[in-house]
């Protein structure tokens, strides 16, 4: 059986009010945590997050980053523990 080659690409754009430095963490710590947990490619540039890879992973990552963006938008600050728990739930 041939491996599936279906790839999905989604670009998320955070509202201007969201500080993306909080979403990715100090020295991109939170971003690296997420990148290590998934095989999909995650690229952050400015207020955009590009997710590319397996459709199920991209769907999970979309939910995760949407949650992180909403948390920051609401005045919260994601932590390593928060991101690890969120990854475990996916």
């Amino acid at each position: 059986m041939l491996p599936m080659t279906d790839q999905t690409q989604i670009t998320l754009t955070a509202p201007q009010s969201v500080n993306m430095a909080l979403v990715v963490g100090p020295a991109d710590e939170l971003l690296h945590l997420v990148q290590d947990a998934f095989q999909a490619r995650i690229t952050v540039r400015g207020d955009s997050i590009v997710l590319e890879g397996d459709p199920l992973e991209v769907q999970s990552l979309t939910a995760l980053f949407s949650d992180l963006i909403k948390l920051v938008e609401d005045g919260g600050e994601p932590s390593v523990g928060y991101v690890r728990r969120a990854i475990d739930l996916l």
Side-chain angles (χ1 to χ4, degrees):
M1 195 164 151
L2 292 174
M4 292 185 64
T5 57
D6 285 346
Q7 296 283 300
T8 298
Q9 181 176 341
I10 291 180
T11 302
L12 302 174
T13 303
Q16 281 189 319
S17 61
V18 170
N19 180 351
M20 287 301 289
L22 294 176
V23 174
V24 298
D28 294 344
E29 180 180 24
L30 302 178
L31 175 61
H32 294 305
L33 198 62
V34 176
Q35 287 174 323
D36 290 345
F38 292 90
Q39 292 183 358
R41 184 180 340 179
I42 304 165
T43 307
V44 178
R45 293 278 181 268
D47 63 353
S48 295
I49 302 170
V50 179
L51 308 170
E52 184 176 3
D54 174 77
L56 291 176
E57 277 205 348
V58 170
Q59 182 179 9
S60 294
L61 287 165
T62 299
L64 175 61
F65 279 107
S66 295
D67 180 61
L68 294 175
I69 289 168
K70 178 78 170 124
L71 178 65
V72 171
E73 189 175 29
D74 291 344
E77 189 171 329
S79 65
V80 168
Y82 182 90
V83 172
R84 282 196 176 127
R85 283 188 300 278
I87 290 170
D88 287 344
L89 291 173
L90 299 173

